[in-house]
């Protein structure tokens, strides 16, 4: 494609950022100086450039990190280098929340105002920032720093949280929690933080507990040491997997009844078997580490505290399904986890432990929808994260059109328990219940004494988990529990005796989802929580299908009218509530992916209970 772009040229810094990912341009057809002797009559290199379309998002990250925003000249240069139409590149850049296409200061504070942080005072924090730094997005007198509100940063156990991005040659991202306005101002200063994280050591509440399986090494071993990992049993599961062979390995995972821990609960062994049986080659692995569900942070804890376990589990999966290429897609708000996973991949590869498997890390750019597996494929391929229609399913036509196995972090780490334990599938099935086998991680946050990730066996009741976390903070009464995150369901105190299993929560009309257990006490602003959930889904809808694109907007508008009292004042409250239910039903019936299908779940579950929320 011979692209002719108009306007100013990219700056040397912008070109350097792009070339740092793609290498120097090889011809005038690919962004370099045009040489009439070689480029004047024959186009060359176009197919090779198009084959690197999947590098579009890494290149956008590079420019964003170097400059602080992505200008039109930079997009034009990227388009020439990758032979992507400028309009298409612009569509990708504007899809992701962490990319800015309008000029802004190089230092930015992203302040989480999502559910857990709201309960910890983030609204007061944002109010303080408005008074001291100016309104959201204002640059201040020096024009060097600003702040914005942000959806969940995955630091719910430390709320309220902030993420500081600092553009430059050595651009970096730092997360900090808990923070106040003074702390944000200090971190936005000239020196700023120097590491990936800027908070005190915060061990998991169960650290060192003898009964732990998935969390056994977190806080005990050095997450940067391969030798320490191996000294604590690391890579023994991979050795056994190679000894028993791919088919027996898949049979064992199938017999263990392990299901996905990301929310869909699809049988892992069946997925692996389907990919392994596909004649089309190559087979791909994708590890979904883009946990963006508000209230979810278990995968972050595993990646930060036990990164080699993730790498070992990927190697086992690759051996099982016959894949030689794996992509680990991590959310862009996890800089420490990203650093540790990269180190674990490099160290394992250098030690010759991965065999023929090549693991590549890809960083997300702030899009909740990319937690949906096919939207994640689109993102890896350098496109807008819009879900695909199914069928065909990913096990047949997945990443780059090839058979693909997708699992999240917690699911993969469970595989180590099945393959590495001498008891194998039988021992794993002995944990939990017949319908929900194995250990489970829950992300407990909100108004609770000891927030954090907790590992329990399936079948523990909600009340027992709450007691394990120290109960409701301040001795206050429990008002509600949000199970499964923003896409989940609110339950009341009567659900405390409910066993935390797939079958038991389904029986009460709830869901385990991604393992979120968020506690709301008697002082919680439930109306504010519901309006934040509605705004979250409006912002995160990819806009591809009408039921979700329009429905999430109308849902937010309806909640605003109900919350303001305008509907009741005009005698239309019942009509508005009926319309809210109709919109929810339309989204469930007609949206093409889980985002639209669950966008009203939490809101409707609360509105049905007047004792939880008065609208």
């Amino acid at each position: 494609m011979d692209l002719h772009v108009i306007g100013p040229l990219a700056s040397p810094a912008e070109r350097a950022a792009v070339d740092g990912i793609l290498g120097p341009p090889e011809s005038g057809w690919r962004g370099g100086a045009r040489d009439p002797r070689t480029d004047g009559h024959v186009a060359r290199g176009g197919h090779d450039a198009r084959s690197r379309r999947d590098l579009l998002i890494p290149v956008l990250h590079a420019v964003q990190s170097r400059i602080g925003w992505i200008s039109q000249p930079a997009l034009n240069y990227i388009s020439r280098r990758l032979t992507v139409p400028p309009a298409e590149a612009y569509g990708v850049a504007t899809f992701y929340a962490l990319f800015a296409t309008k000029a802004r200061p190089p230092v930015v504070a992203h302040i989480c105002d999502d559910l857990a942080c709201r309960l910890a005072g983030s609204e007061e924090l944002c109010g303080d920032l408005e008074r001291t730094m100016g309104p959201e997005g204002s640059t201040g007198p020096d024009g060097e720093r600003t702040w914005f509100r942000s959806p969940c940063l995955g630091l719910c156990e430390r709320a309220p949280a902030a993420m500081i991005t600092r553009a430059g040659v050595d651009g970096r991202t730092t997360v900090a929690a808990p923070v106040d306005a003074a702390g944000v101002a200090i971190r936005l200063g000239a020196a700023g933080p120097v590491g990936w994280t800027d908070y005190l050591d915060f061990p998991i509440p169960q650290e060192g507990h003898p009964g732990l399986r998935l969390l056994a090494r977190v806080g005990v071993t050095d997450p940067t040491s391969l030798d320490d990992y191996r000294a604590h049993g690391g890579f023994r599961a991979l050795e056994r997997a190679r000894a028993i062979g791919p088919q027996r390995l898949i049979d064992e995972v199938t017999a263990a009844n392990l299901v996905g821990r990301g929310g869909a609960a699809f049988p892992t062994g069946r997925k692996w078997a389907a990919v392994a049986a596909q004649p089309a080659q190559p087979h791909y692995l994708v590890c979904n580490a883009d946990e963006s569900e508000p209230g979810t942070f278990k995968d972050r804890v595993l990646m930060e505290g036990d990164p080699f376990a993730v790498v070992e589990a990927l190697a086992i999966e690759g051996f099982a399904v016959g894949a030689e290429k794996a992509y680990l897609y991590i959310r862009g708000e996890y800089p420490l986890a990203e650093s540790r996973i990269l180190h674990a991949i490099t160290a394992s590869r250098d030690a010759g432990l991965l065999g023929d498997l090549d693991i590549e890390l890809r960083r997300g750019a702030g899009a909740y929808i990319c937690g949906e597996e096919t939207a994640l494929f689109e993102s890896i391929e350098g496109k807008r994260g819009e879900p695909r229609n199914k069928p065909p399913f990913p096990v047949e036509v997945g990443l780059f059109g090839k058979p693909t196995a997708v699992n999240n972090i917690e699911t993969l780490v469970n595989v180590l328990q099945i393959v590495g334990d001498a008891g194998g599938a039988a021992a794993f099935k002995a944990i939990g219940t017949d319908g929900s086998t194995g250990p489970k991680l829950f992300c407990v946050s909100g108004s609770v004494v000891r927030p954090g990730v907790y590992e329990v066996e399936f079948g523990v009741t909600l009340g027992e988990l709450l007691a394990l976390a120290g109960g409701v903070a301040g001795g206050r009464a429990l008002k509600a529990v949000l199970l499964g995150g923003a896409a989940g369901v609110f339950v009341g105190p009567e659900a405390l005796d409910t066993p935390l299993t797939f079958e038991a929560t389904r029986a009460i009309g709830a869901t385990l989802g991604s393992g979120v257990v968020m506690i709301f006490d008697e002082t919680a602003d439930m109306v504010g929580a519901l309006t934040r959930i509605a705004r979250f889904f409006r912002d995160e809808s990819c806009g591809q299908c009408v039921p979700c694109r329009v429905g999430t907007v109308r849902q937010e508008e309806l909640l605003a009218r109900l919350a303001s009292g305008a509907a009741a004042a005009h005698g239309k409250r019942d009509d508005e509530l009926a319309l809210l239910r109709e919109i929810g039903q339309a989204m469930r019936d007609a949206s093409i992916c889980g985002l639209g299908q669950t966008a009203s779940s939490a809101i409707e579950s609360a509105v049905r209970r007047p004792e939880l929320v008065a609208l």
Side-chain angles (χ1 to χ4, degrees):
M1 183 186 299
D2 186 10
L3 294 174
H4 296 274
V5 297
I6 59 175
L9 299 176
S11 69
E14 290 170 331
R15 293 174 65 96
V18 175
D19 295 347
I21 301 295
L22 302 178
E26 298 174 2
S27 73
W29 295 96
R30 297 174 61 182
R34 199 174 187 104
D35 185 346
R37 295 171 298 177
T38 57
D39 299 329
H41 303 285
V42 179
R44 55 193 175 89
H47 177 76
D48 182 47
R50 288 189 294 277
S51 71
R52 299 200 295 173
R53 164 64 189 264
D54 65 294
L55 294 179
L56 176 56
I57 291 176
V59 168
L60 292 172
H61 267 301
V63 175
Q64 179 74 38
S65 178
R66 179 71 177 271
I67 309 301
W69 68 292
I70 302 166
S71 69
Q72 189 61 53
L75 274 175
N76 288 342
Y77 183 63
I78 293 169
S79 297
R80 290 184 65 193
R81 292 299 318 273
L82 294 174
T83 68
V84 175
E88 194 169 326
Y90 179 79
V92 173
T94 54
F95 183 86
Y96 296 92
L98 294 184
F99 295 146
T101 54
K102 295 181 180 179
R104 72 183 189 190
V107 184
V108 179
H110 303 264
I111 310 298
C112 178
D113 69 345
D114 224 309
L115 296 173
C117 286
R118 281 181 61 91
L119 291 171
S122 66
E123 283 302 309
E124 291 79 3
L125 168 58
C126 290
D128 290 342
L129 290 175
E130 288 178 356
R131 287 186 290 272
T132 57
M133 295 182 60
E136 176 185 8
S138 59
T139 59
D142 62 358
E144 290 296 311
R145 48 194 56 81
T146 188
W147 71 279
F148 292 96
R149 290 173 177 261
S150 167
C152 183
L153 295 174
L155 293 166
C156 312
E157 82 278 32
R158 299 181 173 97
M163 179 177 70
I164 314 297
T165 57
R166 189 174 295 268
V169 176
D170 298 316
R172 64 180 182 270
T173 298
T174 304
V175 292
V179 293
D180 56 18
V184 171
I186 291 172
R187 291 172 174 89
L188 286 175
V194 296
W196 302 117
T197 57
D198 189 20
Y199 46 70
L200 297 176
D201 183 32
F202 196 95
I204 58 171
Q206 297 169 294
E207 182 179 299
H209 191 282
L212 296 180
R213 299 176 178 87
L214 306 179
L215 299 177
R217 283 182 290 262
V218 177
V220 176
T221 62
D222 178 357
T224 65
S225 171
L226 174 58
D227 291 338
D228 201 11
Y229 177 70
R230 300 190 75 173
H232 285 79
F235 283 101
R236 293 178 188 169
L238 179 58
E239 291 178 6
R240 181 169 180 266
R242 288 170 174 164
I244 64 177
Q247 187 55 56
R248 186 176 165 192
L249 172 58
I250 292 174
D251 291 343
E252 195 153 322
V253 172
T254 303
N257 288 343
L258 172 64
V259 300
R261 302 302 203 232
F266 190 85
T268 304
R270 190 191 306 173
K271 183 184 296 185
W272 288 15
V275 174
Q278 294 300 316
Q281 294 291 335
H283 295 174
Y284 288 107
L285 302 183
V286 171
C287 177
N288 184 350
D290 190 51
E291 60 169 4
S292 301
E293 186 69 50
T296 311
F297 48 93
K298 57 187 173 63
D299 288 352
R300 190 206 83 231
V301 169
L302 287 171
M303 289 187 287
E304 290 180 353
D306 199 9
F308 286 100
V310 177
V311 174
E312 180 182 7
L314 269 174
I316 291 173
E317 184 183 17
F319 177 71
V321 305
E324 295 184 357
K325 181 70 176 183
Y327 290 89
L328 192 152
Y329 189 97
I330 189 170
R331 68 177 303 195
E333 297 89 345
Y334 283 178
L336 178 61
E338 179 182 346
S339 173
R340 289 189 172 167
I341 287 288
L342 274 173
H343 171 75
I345 292 171
T346 302
S348 301
R349 181 190 300 121
D350 292 346
L353 296 168
L354 301 184
D356 295 329
L357 182 66
D358 176 33
I359 304 175
E360 183 174 342
L361 188 145
R362 289 293 179 91
R363 181 165 25 126
Y368 170 77
I369 188 62
C370 289
E372 197 278 336
E373 57 187 4
T374 61
L376 190 154
F377 298 159
E378 294 288 297
S379 187
I380 292 176
E381 293 177 11
K383 303 169 186 174
R384 295 165 61 93
E386 296 177 345
R388 303 172 182 173
N389 287 313
K390 302 174 188 175
F393 294 98
V395 295
E396 300 169 331
V397 181
L399 184 64
F400 303 120
K402 300 297 182 180
T404 305
V406 187
N407 292 112
N408 80 331
I409 297 288
E410 185 188 354
T411 307
L412 288 173
V413 173
N414 266 281
V415 170
L416 301 182
Q417 305 303 311
I418 300 169
V419 182
D421 191 298
F428 189 86
K429 286 182 66 175
I431 304 168
T433 67
D434 290 342
S436 304
T437 62
K440 180 73 182 81
L441 299 182
F442 288 98
C443 309
V444 183
S445 64
S447 304
V448 65
V449 174
R450 292 188 296 274
V453 174
Y454 285 86
E455 178 184 328
V456 296
E457 295 186 4
F458 275 114
V460 167
T461 68
L462 177 57
E464 289 169 340
L465 178 61
L466 179 56
L468 191 62
V472 180
R476 292 184 288 273
L478 175 68
K479 176 179 283 188
V481 180
L482 179 60
L483 291 178
V489 169
F490 281 101
V491 297
E494 77 285 347
L496 290 177
D497 292 331
T498 302
L500 292 174
T501 62
F502 295 113
E503 57 271 24
T505 52
R506 193 180 304 118
I508 65 169
T511 176
L512 291 183
S514 57
V516 173
V517 178
M518 192 176 297
I519 308 301
F520 293 75
D521 68 27
E522 58 189 332
T523 67
D525 175 13
M526 296 300 295
V527 174
L530 296 189
T531 54
R532 183 64 185 92
I533 291 173
R535 177 159 57 90
F536 173 80
F537 281 112
R538 180 207 67 192
D539 291 343
E540 298 296 341
S541 172
C542 75
Q544 180 181 195
C545 68
V546 173
C548 179
R549 182 178 71 241
V550 176
T552 53
V553 174
R554 296 293 173 259
Q555 176 175 256
E556 186 190 26
E557 293 171 348
L558 266 168
L559 270 178
R561 291 198 296 270
L562 288 165
S564 70
H570 292 86
K572 296 183 177 180
R573 178 180 178 276
D574 290 343
D575 292 341
E576 296 281 51
L577 289 175
L579 183 56
L580 186 66
R581 290 190 294 270
E582 289 178 13
I583 290 173
Q585 190 64 52
M587 289 193 288
R588 281 191 294 277
D589 290 345
S591 297
I592 70 169
C593 82
L595 188 152
Q597 293 163 10
T598 60
S600 67
S601 298
I603 293 169
E604 289 192 69
S605 69
V607 170
R608 284 195 298 265
R609 304 170 62 98
E611 72 276 13
L612 293 187
V613 58
L615 287 172

